Amino acid sequence: MNDTISLIMNHRSVRKYSDRPVSQEQLEAIVASAQMASSSSNVQAYTAVAVTEPELKNRLADLAGSQAYIRECPVFLVWCADLSRLKKASETHAPEAKSYEGAVENFVVATVDAALAAQNAAVAAESLGLGIVYIGGIRNEIEAVSEALGLPDYVYPIFGMCVGYPDPQHGAGIRPRLPLEAVLHMNGYRPEQNERGVEAYDETSVRYLTERTGGQRTSSWSQQMAGKLTSPARLQLKDFLERKGFLSE
């Protein structure tokens, strides 16, 4: 263990923030750290939109399912996959050639690039004593979110990230993860490791959830995942992405 690994291993989602502001210098350091994440072929196909205006945060909070911590956090970062810069480069330097900004491969590259950058930002924020929580709920009303932020074609919002100083009165524990053997398979995929890992994790997750909710929720991880996969969610995404220029090839 070292300080970096210790910081990562103590990550927790923060859903309650103090009134202490995040400085512009801190914000810029966080996003500059994000930029140092690995990027496929150096495309850097992402943009972070920092939202600090209360009215806009309120609007995004409503669109994301009325999540109060979006309103309360000093900075709400919206991480976007962004192929618009690449399309402009193609139009400028190869105007006669067919370009493939709408290809599924480039959609995957941009999405992965944004996720890698965001996780760098999360670690950087936590190193400064700040807390974060990812917000997938911005995809609930993804078209309205896109309009609210003025996102052009070939840009789509993947997730949000609340950033701020944790409220010391509302500490949250560290959520246990799957056993390492379930996710670390040596020299080939081992289905039996998944089975053992999930069985053990179900027991752990029941204990964690029962304690966290005071017995109001007692479902296992695999039960929760079964419920998630059998409940349709955000099925409008494919049409939205195609209208934005993605997934055309």
Side-chain angles (χ1 to χ4, degrees):
M1 295 286 285
N2 57 36
D3 290 345
T4 301
I5 293 175
S6 179
L7 176 70
I8 292 170
M9 295 297 287
N10 281 284
H11 165 74
R12 60 187 178 89
S13 294
V14 174
R15 293 181 172 85
K16 189 70 176 178
Y17 298 90
S18 73
D19 295 333
R20 185 177 175 185
V22 174
S23 70
Q24 185 68 21
E25 182 180 23
Q26 288 174 313
L27 174 60
E28 291 177 2
I30 289 166
V31 177
S33 297
Q35 289 186 270
M36 297 309 296
S38 297
S39 170
S40 178
S41 301
N42 198 35
V43 297
Q44 303 175 75
Y46 58 86
T47 293
V49 180
V51 180
T52 58
E53 296 176 357
E55 184 176 345
L56 183 53
K57 280 197 295 177
N58 286 337
R59 172 64 174 153
L60 295 176
D62 290 341
L63 293 172
S66 298
Q67 300 187 59
Y69 24 98
I70 298 176
R71 309 180 205 279
E72 296 169 358
C73 68
V75 178
F76 185 58
L77 288 173
V78 180
W79 293 92
C80 305
D82 187 349
L83 292 171
S84 67
R85 288 189 293 266
L86 275 67
K87 179 173 172 56
K88 179 63 176 178
S90 176
E91 292 171 345
T92 300
H93 298 288
E96 304 301 324
K98 176 176 172 57
S99 61
Y100 294 89
E101 58 276 352
V104 172
E105 165 66 6
N106 287 325
F107 169 79
V108 171
V109 164
T111 303
V112 171
D113 260 22
L116 294 174
Q119 189 58 22
N120 257 28
V123 174
E126 290 175 348
S127 77
L128 296 172
L130 299 163
I132 68 100
V133 64
Y134 284 96
I135 306 294
I138 65 164
R139 299 192 300 276
N140 292 351
E141 302 287 347
I142 193 168
E143 189 152 10
V145 168
S146 182
E147 291 175 358
L149 297 176
L151 303 183
D153 287 347
Y154 304 103
V155 181
Y156 87 95
I158 307 175
F159 46 73
M161 176 189 286
C162 296
V163 181
Y165 285 96
D167 184 336
Q169 302 301 316
H170 293 80
I174 299 171
R175 185 188 293 270
R177 298 304 204 245
L178 281 161
L180 188 61
E181 75 160 347
V183 297
L184 177 59
H185 296 200
M186 300 296 294
N187 303 310
Y189 198 90
R190 313 294 179 194
E192 67 278 5
Q193 291 184 213
N194 277 340
E195 294 174 9
R196 290 195 302 268
V198 169
E199 183 177 355
Y201 190 53
D202 275 348
E203 295 178 6
T204 300
S205 63
V206 167
R207 288 195 300 271
Y208 170 81
L209 193 59
T210 301
E211 181 179 347
R212 179 179 174 182
T213 66
Q216 294 182 24
R217 294 174 59 194
T218 60
S219 57
S220 69
W221 177 81
S222 60
Q223 288 174 322
Q224 295 168 44
M225 294 306 102
K228 182 176 180 62
L229 289 186
T230 55
S231 301
R234 301 168 185 158
L235 298 183
Q236 79 280 16
L237 284 179
K238 185 173 182 292
D239 287 344
F240 169 79
L241 290 170
E242 289 173 345
R243 290 197 301 274
K244 277 290 188 178
F246 296 96
L247 308 177
S248 64
E249 301 282 354

